[in-house]
Amino acid sequence: TVPSCGNSLDPSCAATVITAEELVRSDVERDALSALREAAGESGGPMERHCIRDFLIADRLAGAREIDIDRELLLVAALLHDIGIYDSVTSGGVYVAEGAELSAELTRRHGWDEERVRLCSDAVERHHELRSQWDRVAEVEVMRRADLIDFSGGLVRFGLSREWLRDLSRSIPRDGFYRELGGLVAHALRHRPLTLPQIFLR
């Protein structure tokens, strides 16, 4: 889990600025970050910061329930959960499914067993599910909840404090997130409109 105050990765510590480089540790995490940056065409952009916030929120949610999560799996899923929306990686299908396929390819290259590959892919593909995913595995459900928390700007909190979420937004600025996301969604609406309902309803 993310360390407590006194460590630079705690957003509640004063003047903390958290970057993706501080979070990635393993080769597969670094490759997931590189894949995201290549797809987005930039480093440290709004969508990358959204992915980092999602990871930290998911980690916090798991910690609040004292759930022992697979940190590497969760970080890879967080970094790749929206990658399928970019034209550079899409084949025109449902973006969450394409992101799941990409995550499976990447994690297999790093020698993950098929069960772990599937769980990571599920966390990517099911992050917009309308129903709880606790019946799958904790990483899938905390990823789903984290994305909803960050997308809503903390209006949905699943028990997290407003203060912690405000600190997180200061540490990892939300600047440009809705503009970037809106542009990507508008593009998808023009080029693959029939796929968008399938993000929520299979």
Side-chain angles (χ1 to χ4, degrees):
T1 61
V2 177
S4 60
C5 198
N7 185 292
S8 63
L9 296 186
D10 183 359
S12 65
C13 298
T16 296
V17 176
I18 300 172
T19 64
E21 284 81 5
E22 294 174 90
L23 292 175
V24 296
R25 301 171 182 173
S26 66
D27 288 342
V28 66
E29 292 168 354
R30 281 187 283 272
D31 279 359
L33 178 59
S34 294
L36 171 63
R37 288 177 169 178
E38 184 176 349
E42 62 179 339
S43 299
M47 294 300 286
E48 179 179 318
R49 297 196 304 273
H50 163 62
C51 293
I52 299 168
R53 289 193 302 271
D54 272 11
F55 168 72
L56 292 172
I57 292 168
D59 181 86
R60 184 82 169 187
L61 289 168
R65 287 176 170 253
E66 298 184 347
I67 297 169
D68 186 21
I69 60 164
D70 183 334
R71 180 197 185 275
E72 185 178 63
L73 185 156
L74 188 63
L75 181 52
V76 170
L79 290 169
L80 299 179
H81 77 282
D82 280 333
I83 196 169
I85 204 166
Y86 289 101
D87 276 352
S88 58
V89 300
T90 186
S91 61
V94 181
Y95 96 81
V96 292
E98 296 202 343
E101 290 174 11
L102 191 150
S103 77
E105 292 170 7
L106 187 148
T107 52
R108 284 191 185 107
R109 287 201 304 271
H110 285 271
W112 285 21
D113 64 62
E114 283 304 308
E115 176 66 7
R116 203 165 173 233
V117 168
R118 182 185 65 79
L119 293 178
C120 188
S121 295
D122 278 354
V124 171
E125 186 167 8
R126 297 180 178 274
H127 75 271
H128 283 311
E129 290 285 331
L130 301 178
R131 295 180 180 177
S132 169
Q133 300 294 299
W134 285 124
D135 60 330
R136 295 184 178 279
V137 70
E139 287 83 357
V140 178
E141 176 61 8
V142 294
M143 186 68 228
R144 185 187 77 89
R145 292 187 176 205
D147 192 66
L148 185 54
I149 290 169
D150 194 57
F151 177 77
S152 74
L155 293 177
V156 176
R157 295 185 288 117
F158 291 108
L160 296 186
S161 73
R162 290 186 178 88
E163 293 76 17
W164 188 86
L165 289 169
R166 280 199 297 267
D167 289 338
L168 181 67
S169 292
R170 282 195 291 266
S171 297
I172 309 169
R174 302 178 61 82
D175 303 356
F177 170 56
Y178 292 117
R179 183 174 62 251
E180 177 84 2
L181 182 62
L184 291 167
V185 170
H187 184 80
L189 280 168
R190 289 193 300 272
H191 296 279
R192 40 179 165 160
L194 297 180
T195 69
L196 294 186
Q198 297 175 64
I199 293 167
F200 306 100
L201 300 170
R202 292 168 187 276

